[in-house]
Amino acid sequence: MVGWILKKILGSKNQRELRRLAPIVRRINELDEQFKSLSDDELRAKTAAWKEEFSKIPALEDQWKKLDEILPEAFAVVKNVARRLKERQHTFTVCDQPMVWDMVHFDVQLLGGIVLHRGRIAEMATGEGKTLVATLPLYLNALTGRGAHLVTVNDYLARRDAEWMGLLYDFLGLTVGCIQHDQEPDVRREQYAMDITYGTNSEFGFDYLRDNGMATTREQQVQRGYHYAIVDEVDSILIDEARTPLIISGPATISTHQYDKWKPLIEQLVRKQNMLCNRVASEAIEKFEQGDVETGGRLMFKVKLGQPRNKQLLRLMEDPDKRRAIDKAELSFFQDTRKEELFALKEELFFTIDEKSNEADLSEQGRMFLNPDDPNAFVLPDLINEFTEIDLDETLSPEEKDKKKSERQQHCDAQAERIHNISQLLRAYCLFEKDVQYVIEDNKVVIVDEFTGRKMPGRRWSDGLHQAVEAKEGVQIDRETQTLATITIQNYFRLYQKLAGMTGTAETEAAEFHDIYKLDVNMIPTNRPVRRTDHNDRIYKTRREKYNAVIKEIREAHAKSQPVLVGSVSVEASELLSRMLKREKIPHNVLNAKFHMQEAEIVARAGQPGTVTISTNMAGRGTDIKLGSGVTELGGLMVVATERHEARRIDRQLRGRCARQGDPGASRFYVSFEDDLMRNFGAADRMTKIMERFGLEEGQELEHRWLNKSVETAQKRVEQRNYLVRKRTLDFDDVMNMQREVVYTYRNEVIDSEEPRKLIYEVIDETIPAKVKEYLDVDEPNYTGLVHWVNTTFPLGLTKEKAEFETRSVDENAQFLVEKIKNAYERKSAYEEATAVKSLERYIILNAIDRLWQEHLYAMDALREGVYLRGYAQKDPLIEYKTEAYDMFVELMANIKNEVLNNLFRSTSNLQAFENFLATLPQFLLREHAPTAPTAGAPSRARQPQPVGAMAGVAGDGDGAGEVSIDLPIRRSLPKVGRNEPCPCGSGKKYKNCCGRMA
């Protein structure tokens, strides 16, 4: 109560914050008036003067202080330019469309600009001119010369806004770039070098991954730092898309899937399950008719486990009595005392489906159907026990033990692959619907974004699920992919030193923005009062009744020429509505968000009299719907939503499509108990009782603001669940992020280094002492092992006698080897092309980093999938993941250094240079007696081992210790002669009976 009274007197935190900004807005307007007397050149000169001033301030903190000082003046300059362009009726083209500049910043837009400059999120209603607001902080922060980025949701909006607002920046003397998905690296580098750069979140993220994970020279890198970014539609990018990491992948080296093999059996299994569920549903209906409600509820719960979208089940759920009987059966089976009964019930089906967790699980009956001959086909062998038994079997030799272990490992891998393939196929058939989660285009499966309804070409589901869907639809099954580089959207945007965002709907997710990105949300008031009427939801028992009511409302609005925007949650729903409208002979546009440019044009025309537009809830974001002539008198744009979305933000976004800048408008949501939100998250139970109490008949609806609250409660549950998923994703990715930063920093150090040899010598200085300690700093020093490792890694030709390791301490031996290796490397480098040595040295290190980092990513993916099982042992999977990930990372860094050493003498800039180097080494043949095919008429003879080459027999030190040498295999002087071919000596006999006898 006290808090409510204080809020009424003092205002909310947001209102107090905006009051503190009001004097700055007044100062901007005063300066704007003063600047009217300046000429264009004088106004433009301010930009050049500020840029020169900032170039003399090296420290970032000092630059930020200076930006805060000049903010009113800089904002006034931008506003003044906008006014001049409007007064002159300046014409220009945007995306090949002629336009006239007609905008000047309102005071609320100046407020939004200040909030964005301070690194916060500005919540501004649809139609309040967020695109223009962004020009203020972008201009100000671009003056530092460090670059300012604006991030949008698609390529079309990035190009449109860059060309549209580019007029302002160009007038002021700043350069503007735009990143598009099909640009070449050289063009991208030019765009990033501009003062201000527009682009999409995925393009910025993928460029980061390519720069840091794939580029091998500074010239191949395109980005130039992460100073300041504004994220447009910040809720869509930082929340909706945050669950999906950005991944650059390439085809896996080995593809072992069997989806095409198991597809026919899974199809049969799904068909049998459908028949079984239909039969059980018919039995349940009979029981209900006989008055045996308890048995009927039990049978329908069984159907719900095996086929949650069964048509008979959905029809029965419309009846309050039957719904309550099914819910009662479900609750009773999930009691601890009835776990065994629940398990037995599931075993009567072929498989069970859990829609909430998106999982499908085979029962014993299903496993028997798929593989009747092998009862252990779906049981993974216990490798630890099997390996122990093999080790304890004294009748086996070490080679036989290794062979048996390898066979058991291969058997286990094949078993795991089979189980995984079948599990993914079941998910593809039972949980993923065509035209809802994906569409088929050009013989490919294209994922449809669940929030925007937009297709995402090039994106693939991970873990073999995409291939399972491809097998289900009978299209080409592409090879599995392997991750080459990855980062989450969250961690990419946390790279920026200052981040801001703007959207129409951020308030409901304010806590998440603060927790993850440290971004506060400020609600900016509208320029004119909002005149939209938000009607209560209309709630129906069935989808059929709901859609009939929607069509009736559209028909009534269309009859009086009022424009209607119909929001749907999926491609399937929009096409169903389209068919119903065609039957009613109502002309309409269907917007499935297939083409961004066409999308924006259709949405922009949605305010014309008599227009009916069907679109997914998020389609057309970033495009204003301006009302046609005479529409205001008809009540403005009517927004009709056919379903509540999982997130309240999306519903608010759809409502906000109408009533921009003080225009009239209205919105209404239609809901049914068959909607996914109502079925899965419990809001339907309470409403069933209400409908029963009022005795509603077919076609009648419920409508009350209390019911709106009930639906919003269900939405809050989903939002909370999704937030926890995103938070968990981030917790795990934070571990990877720290590793990624270390690896990418090291990689960039290699790329930028003028003397990469220093880095190689650092590796030698670190690794050799560690290796020497590993072999010698133990109870029983392994001198032979150390000699063997040195000779297989470097061409030193050491022997135990020559090395005399026993005569030195561990540190002295390490120093001895380091000097020998460096001397050998200097000698090798002398024969390389001088201009190519640095590139070669960089390549040696980068190749080691990239190859092993990719393997590490694969191993980390496997660890992340398996670590959840440790929860059964009462261990926190996250703690376990962090522990194991650290050990794996330490091993990765050691392996990178070993790989560099292994490749040091196995890489060359030029084959001739390498052969010249080899020719200087004492080379010894691998076999003492190696026969060669004699030339015709010449007697055959055995070769004796002897040093060859220009420096044969010359010792490196005078005492012969550690001379540089290399062992080479025999090279034939003539082509190989087969045993049954004529002997080359000319005797006419077969080679095996003539000269080949000595072989």
Side-chain angles (χ1 to χ4, degrees):
M1 187 67 185
V2 174
W4 181 83
I5 294 169
L6 287 173
K7 192 173 179 181
K8 282 291 179 186
I9 298 169
L10 303 174
S12 66
K13 181 188 174 188
N14 186 68
Q15 289 167 335
R16 293 196 300 274
E17 187 67 40
L18 294 181
R19 278 203 294 270
R20 280 197 287 270
L21 300 180
I24 302 175
V25 173
R26 285 196 294 274
R27 178 64 182 148
I28 293 168
N29 288 325
E30 288 168 10
L31 289 166
D32 174 40
E33 286 297 320
Q34 293 174 22
F35 292 161
K36 285 180 181 177
S37 60
L38 298 178
S39 67
D40 288 358
D41 288 337
E42 286 173 326
L43 207 56
R44 207 173 282 124
K46 285 185 172 293
T47 303
W50 280 326
K51 287 186 83 169
E52 187 179 347
E53 196 174 341
F54 277 107
S55 67
K56 296 172 183 174
I57 306 174
L60 184 62
E61 293 293 331
D62 295 337
Q63 286 189 340
W64 281 349
K65 286 176 187 172
K66 182 65 181 175
L67 286 175
D68 290 339
E69 286 174 23
I70 66 167
L71 183 146
E73 198 174 348
F75 278 25
V77 166
V78 178
K79 181 173 180 177
N80 198 270
V81 170
R83 176 178 281 105
R84 292 182 188 210
L85 292 172
K86 183 180 179 181
E87 288 169 354
R88 297 169 190 176
Q89 292 288 295
H90 194 91
T91 57
F92 59 110
T93 57
V94 175
C95 296
D96 306 319
Q97 300 292 321
M99 286 190 74
V100 178
W101 186 276
D102 62 347
M103 298 180 294
V104 181
H105 303 79
F106 299 127
D107 284 358
V108 290
Q109 290 175 313
L110 298 176
L111 270 178
I114 299 166
V115 167
L116 291 174
H117 167 69
R118 293 187 173 183
R120 298 178 189 168
I121 291 173
E123 182 183 293
M124 302 181 72
T126 304
E128 289 296 305
K130 290 187 283 292
T131 308
L132 184 65
V133 170
T135 57
L136 300 162
L138 283 175
Y139 169 76
L140 178 61
N141 284 273
L143 295 172
T144 62
R146 295 173 184 266
H149 297 165
L150 189 129
V151 186
T152 64
V153 290
N154 63 53
D155 274 350
Y156 167 70
L157 289 179
R159 181 187 164 201
R160 186 202 72 178
D161 292 356
E163 292 181 9
W164 193 8
M165 299 299 123
L167 187 67
L168 263 181
Y169 305 129
D170 190 48
F171 188 102
L172 287 163
L174 292 182
T175 54
V176 187
C178 178
I179 306 294
Q180 300 281 285
H181 79 278
D182 52 357
Q183 286 174 340
E184 293 296 319
D186 290 344
V187 179
R188 284 174 183 268
R189 195 176 306 104
E190 288 172 16
Q191 304 306 311
Y192 280 114
M194 304 287 188
D195 295 315
I196 297 165
T197 307
Y198 285 73
T200 65
N201 57 308
S202 54
E203 290 303 321
F204 281 119
F206 285 136
D207 281 339
Y208 167 78
L209 290 176
R210 281 188 285 262
D211 279 3
N212 291 278
M214 303 173 85
T216 55
T217 62
R218 175 54 67 193
E219 289 69 37
Q220 290 175 4
Q221 295 181 322
V222 297
Q223 292 186 335
R224 64 181 182 116
Y226 311 97
H227 169 55
Y228 177 70
I230 298 175
V231 183
D232 193 9
E233 307 299 0
V234 67
D235 58 320
S236 175
I237 291 173
L238 295 192
I239 290 182
D240 297 337
E241 297 191 25
R243 280 184 289 173
T244 309
L246 297 174
I247 296 172
I248 293 181
S249 57
T253 48
I254 303 169
S255 187
T256 55
H257 75 80
Q258 301 169 351
Y259 293 109
D260 35 9
K261 174 187 170 184
W262 290 103
K263 178 193 170 184
L265 277 172
I266 295 294
E267 266 183 356
Q268 288 178 43
L269 186 70
V270 171
R271 209 175 298 123
K272 284 179 81 72
Q273 174 98 327
N274 291 347
M275 288 165 63
L276 173 65
C277 287
N278 287 335
R279 191 167 65 248
V280 173
S282 301
E283 287 174 28
I285 291 167
E286 285 178 21
K287 293 293 182 186
F288 279 128
E289 288 170 354
Q290 293 166 11
D292 190 352
V293 176
E294 188 177 338
T295 308
R298 179 186 179 281
L299 290 170
M300 287 315 293
F301 172 56
K302 182 176 171 182
V303 174
K304 188 177 178 181
L305 285 173
Q307 203 180 6
R309 296 178 187 176
N310 181 281
K311 289 181 181 176
Q312 293 184 75
L313 170 67
L314 294 177
R315 266 200 298 275
L316 283 176
M317 294 289 271
E318 296 166 16
D319 186 303
D321 290 331
K322 296 181 178 64
R323 173 190 284 277
R324 190 164 60 252
I326 296 165
D327 291 344
K328 187 178 177 183
E330 182 172 0
L331 282 170
S332 68
F333 271 110
F334 279 105
Q335 292 172 1
D336 285 346
T337 53
R338 301 192 66 183
K339 277 186 177 177
E340 290 183 9
E341 288 181 68
L342 178 62
F343 178 74
L345 189 71
K346 288 180 176 179
E347 287 301 313
E348 292 172 18
L349 298 162
F350 290 98
F351 55 85
T352 54
I353 298 168
D354 186 347
E355 275 192 303
K356 284 186 186 179
S357 61
N358 232 17
E359 291 295 333
D361 186 30
L362 272 176
S363 67
E364 190 60 39
Q365 192 180 177
R367 290 191 279 269
M368 282 298 293
F369 173 80
L370 290 175
N371 214 326
D373 302 327
D374 184 2
N376 293 322
F378 294 91
V379 180
L380 284 176
D382 186 346
L383 284 181
I384 295 174
N385 280 345
E386 291 187 6
F387 283 5
T388 304
E389 286 172 13
I390 292 169
D391 286 333
L392 295 174
D393 190 345
E394 296 177 0
T395 61
L396 299 174
S397 67
E399 291 78 16
E400 288 172 327
K401 286 180 181 179
D402 288 343
K403 186 181 177 184
K404 274 210 162 193
K405 284 181 182 178
S406 176
E407 286 171 0
R408 296 312 299 158
Q409 182 70 56
Q410 286 173 9
H411 171 70
C412 181
D413 291 346
Q415 200 93 318
E417 184 75 29
R418 184 196 305 127
I419 294 169
H420 178 68
N421 286 177
I422 289 170
S423 171
Q424 295 294 46
L425 275 170
L426 266 181
R427 288 179 69 200
Y429 271 93
C430 302
L431 294 164
F432 287 79
E433 289 185 42
K434 184 179 172 184
D435 290 335
V436 179
Q437 281 96 348
Y438 64 91
V439 293
I440 304 297
E441 265 190 9
D442 301 328
N443 206 33
K444 287 188 179 296
V445 171
V446 180
I447 299 172
V448 173
D449 187 288
E450 64 174 310
F451 287 99
T452 63
R454 293 192 176 103
K455 292 182 297 182
M456 300 190 290
R459 296 265 184 109
R460 290 177 67 82
W461 285 304
S462 61
D463 208 23
L465 177 60
H466 206 95
Q467 291 161 295
V469 175
E470 286 170 336
K472 168 192 168 184
E473 294 296 339
V475 301
Q476 178 188 333
I477 302 175
D478 291 337
R479 279 178 67 180
E480 291 171 72
T481 54
Q482 181 179 339
T483 302
L484 304 181
T486 177
I487 191 171
T488 57
I489 292 284
Q490 294 151 317
N491 275 320
Y492 172 71
F493 282 110
R494 284 158 77 185
L495 292 170
Y496 282 91
Q497 288 154 328
K498 188 159 65 170
L499 181 67
M502 50 190 187
T503 179
T505 48
E507 187 185 2
T508 56
E509 310 291 348
E512 182 168 349
F513 283 124
H514 184 269
D515 291 349
I516 292 178
Y517 302 99
K518 301 293 181 280
L519 287 172
D520 291 321
V521 177
N522 283 130
M523 277 77 75
I524 309 298
T526 53
N527 185 47
R528 294 176 184 166
V530 176
R531 292 170 59 195
R532 183 181 71 238
T533 306
D534 293 330
H535 298 291
N536 290 326
D537 294 3
R538 283 187 176 162
I539 299 165
Y540 295 84
K541 286 199 290 186
T542 68
R543 277 186 177 166
R544 185 180 68 255
E545 294 172 55
K546 177 183 76 173
Y547 282 128
N548 286 336
V550 169
I551 297 299
K552 183 183 174 187
E553 173 123 22
I554 294 170
R555 189 169 55 238
E556 289 171 0
H558 184 67
K560 59 179 185 180
S561 294
Q562 183 180 10
V564 182
L565 178 67
V566 187
S568 64
V569 294
S570 68
V571 176
E572 181 188 40
S574 64
E575 288 178 351
L576 171 65
L577 279 164
S578 176
R579 288 195 296 272
M580 294 177 79
L581 286 173
K582 279 176 186 171
R583 275 207 302 272
E584 295 288 330
K585 296 185 171 53
I586 297 174
H588 59 280
N589 292 316
V590 181
L591 186 61
N592 285 343
K594 290 179 180 175
F595 308 102
H596 300 318
M597 193 177 293
Q598 182 185 339
E599 169 187 318
E601 289 169 7
I602 292 173
V603 169
R605 291 198 301 269
Q608 299 305 309
T611 306
V612 177
T613 309
I614 301 173
S615 93
T616 50
N617 285 358
M618 297 278 280
R621 285 185 77 160
T623 307
D624 276 351
I625 299 177
K626 295 179 182 176
L627 300 183
S629 59
V631 172
T632 304
E633 291 74 30
L634 298 170
L637 178 68
M638 177 71 187
V639 170
V640 177
T642 60
E643 200 168 322
R644 281 277 195 170
H645 202 277
E646 284 186 354
R648 288 171 293 162
R649 280 179 304 103
I650 313 298
D651 292 345
R652 288 181 62 206
Q653 189 75 36
L654 186 60
R655 286 192 198 275
R657 300 320 312 250
C658 65
R660 61 176 290 282
Q661 288 291 331
D663 289 339
S667 69
R668 188 189 299 279
F669 279 78
Y670 285 79
V671 181
S672 86
F673 288 149
E674 293 179 10
D675 296 346
D676 291 344
L677 176 74
M678 307 295 280
R679 284 191 305 109
N680 288 339
F681 295 94
D685 302 341
R686 200 176 311 156
M687 299 202 190
T688 303
K689 292 171 186 170
I690 296 170
M691 296 194 88
E692 184 184 275
R693 194 175 302 139
F694 288 104
L696 293 180
E697 296 174 4
E698 177 84 16
Q700 284 187 288
E701 80 272 358
L702 283 173
E703 183 180 334
H704 197 279
R705 64 175 184 274
W706 289 356
L707 297 177
N708 298 358
K709 293 281 184 189
S710 186
V711 175
E712 286 182 8
T713 302
Q715 289 176 306
K716 285 178 185 175
R717 287 179 196 161
V718 187
E719 286 170 5
Q720 186 62 25
R721 187 195 67 163
N722 289 342
Y723 168 58
L724 292 173
V725 169
R726 290 190 292 268
K727 189 80 171 67
R728 198 69 170 167
T729 301
L730 186 67
D731 289 340
F732 276 93
D733 195 63
D734 277 343
V735 179
M736 271 296 299
N737 197 47
M738 287 186 276
Q739 298 185 1
R740 186 189 300 112
E741 283 177 8
V742 172
V743 170
Y744 284 178
T745 302
Y746 183 34
R747 208 177 177 283
N748 283 324
E749 188 184 344
V750 175
I751 290 172
D752 295 336
S753 174
E754 291 296 321
E755 293 293 334
R757 188 169 301 185
K758 286 182 182 177
L759 297 174
I760 286 178
Y761 282 178
E762 279 177 20
V763 172
I764 293 172
D765 290 338
E766 286 177 30
T767 310
I768 299 302
K771 276 287 180 187
V772 171
K773 283 182 181 177
E774 184 184 322
Y775 282 102
L776 304 187
D777 199 6
V778 288
D779 293 338
E780 294 183 13
N782 185 0
Y783 298 112
T784 308
L786 179 59
V787 169
H788 176 73
W789 177 79
V790 169
N791 285 335
T792 52
T793 311
F794 313 103
L796 295 186
L798 277 181
T799 63
K800 191 178 174 184
E801 293 74 28
K802 288 180 183 176
E804 298 178 345
F805 286 136
E806 299 91 335
T807 63
R808 304 186 198 90
S809 68
V810 172
D811 291 339
E812 287 171 347
N813 279 325
Q815 190 57 39
F816 164 76
L817 287 175
V818 166
E819 288 175 8
K820 288 291 173 195
I821 293 163
K822 287 182 179 178
N823 287 339
Y825 184 69
E826 293 290 346
R827 195 163 166 186
K828 171 186 176 286
S829 300
Y831 288 91
E832 300 283 357
E833 290 181 24
T835 54
V837 170
K838 288 182 181 179
S839 298
L840 175 65
E841 289 168 344
R842 279 195 196 94
Y843 171 79
I844 289 169
I845 306 175
L846 292 176
N847 185 55
I849 294 170
D850 292 349
R851 191 179 70 77
L852 293 168
W853 175 244
Q854 287 165 23
E855 289 179 9
H856 180 71
L857 288 176
Y858 185 76
M860 290 287 281
D861 282 346
L863 171 65
R864 187 163 172 178
E865 284 170 25
V867 81
Y868 287 103
L869 296 173
R870 304 197 187 177
Y872 292 112
Q874 305 302 311
K875 293 180 179 178
D876 184 347
L878 182 60
I879 302 290
E880 294 291 302
Y881 180 76
K882 286 179 177 178
T883 306
E884 297 239 357
Y886 176 75
D887 294 340
M888 288 168 68
F889 186 68
V890 170
E891 187 181 346
L892 166 73
M893 298 310 288
N895 288 342
I896 288 173
K897 289 168 185 172
N898 287 332
E899 182 84 354
V900 169
L901 297 184
N902 274 321
N903 291 334
L904 205 53
F905 290 91
R906 290 176 172 85
S907 308
T908 182
S909 59
N910 180 288
L911 188 60
Q912 186 60 49
F914 196 61
E915 288 182 349
N916 291 343
F917 166 63
L918 294 181
T920 68
L921 305 183
Q923 300 163 2
F924 295 92
L925 300 180
L926 292 179
R927 284 184 290 168
E928 293 194 0
H929 302 287
T932 56
T935 53
S940 64
R941 60 188 177 85
R943 244 189 220 181
Q944 299 300 317
Q946 54 182 332
V948 293
M951 297 183 68
V954 179
D957 286 30
D959 61 354
E963 63 186 14
V964 181
S965 66
I966 190 166
D967 290 342
L968 292 179
I970 294 294
R971 286 189 181 177
R972 293 183 180 83
S973 54
L974 292 172
K976 181 180 178 181
V977 181
R979 282 170 53 75
N980 292 313
E981 291 178 13
C983 187
C985 71
S987 66
K989 295 180 181 180
K990 287 184 178 180
Y991 178 61
K992 66 182 180 182
N993 296 326
C994 186
C995 300
R997 278 180 301 181
M998 295 182 67

